[in-house]
Amino acid sequence: MLSLIVCIKQVPDTQKAVFDPTTGAIDRRGTENIMNPDDLHALEMALCIKDRYGARVTAITMGPPQADDVLSEAYALGADECVLVSDPRFAGSDSLVTTRVLSRAILRLGAFDLVITGCEAIDGNTAHVGYQLSEFLSMPLITQIHEFMIDGNHAIIERLYGHEYQKIRVRLPLLLSMGKNSNRVRIPRLVDIKECVEKPISLMTLNDIGGEAGEYGAAGSPTVVIKTEIFTHTRGRAVLEG
């Protein structure tokens, strides 16, 4: 049976985000949190592969304790196992350190065939994690996926390449990155929503993934936020008389 790992993230709803004027960071305590939209499509991809070929889907997220809300949502959608990677020493991690944490946690989970991520998170829009994970895990990353098939220990993928489609064959394991146009996310059943809060969520801390405290959090993060701005988009309206 295939083993699939999906990286998801709890993010603030950027339409209602509040920023700390001192640090320029999002005030996550004063903003409603949701599952990152691209990650919903990553999870949907894993569930489609599970439905077609049979697989065990593990959803993993790094964040504070309340990030287990998105893991419960993953259970409701059809994930088989959920893992929360959380430790106060991870606070302030940038995308590089986040990827380091996730890669080490993924390797602790055991052998896998596919790791699936969203293209980017709406709270940072860096689109770094998928590419960095492919480096940390030493495996190829495929994006812009149009069709996906499993053939033994290979995947056959049709992907959008510029203005044409490219068909490739690549050996497992590999990493897939999914965007909002990749698929259509299913709606969870009421019975699954009811049962998801009772399912167990495994916890990993720094002690479980290994490494030194200085590698993580703000201390290990080279990124510095210089300035943040909030952009809003409004639809214009024209009235034609007569």
Side-chain angles (χ1 to χ4, degrees), residues 118-155:
C119 282
E120 64 180 355
I122 59 174
D123 60 345
N125 297 104
T126 63
H128 287 169
V129 171
Y131 296 97
Q132 291 172 163
L133 265 180
S134 73
E135 291 293 325
F136 276 105
L137 297 175
S138 300
M139 62 187 193
L141 166 66
I142 310 296
T143 63
Q144 304 290 341
I145 298 165
H146 178 64
E147 289 187 3
F148 181 91
M149 294 178 289
I150 295 289
D151 181 22
N153 60 351
H154 288 77

Side-chain angles (χ1 to χ4, degrees), residues 178-197:
M178 313 301 295
K180 61 184 178 181
N181 297 320
S182 302
N183 50 40
R184 191 169 187 173
V185 178
R186 66 192 65 191
I187 298 173
R189 301 181 305 168
L190 289 175
V191 64
D192 294 325
I193 294 173
K194 181 179 178 181
E195 294 176 354
C196 70
V197 294

Side-chain angles (χ1 to χ4, degrees), residues 221-242:
S221 300
T223 305
V224 177
V225 177
I226 299 174
K227 181 181 179 181
T228 59
E229 293 183 40
I230 299 177
F231 293 91
T232 58
H233 302 277
T234 57
R235 185 184 294 273
R237 183 177 66 174
V239 178
L240 303 179
E241 301 289 351

Side-chain angles (χ1 to χ4, degrees), residues 6-7 38-47 116-118 178 183:
V6 186
C7 298
D38 279 7
D39 299 347
L40 280 169
H41 293 280
L43 181 57
E44 177 62 28
M45 180 65 173
L47 297 173
I116 309 175
T117 73
M178 313 301 295
N183 50 40

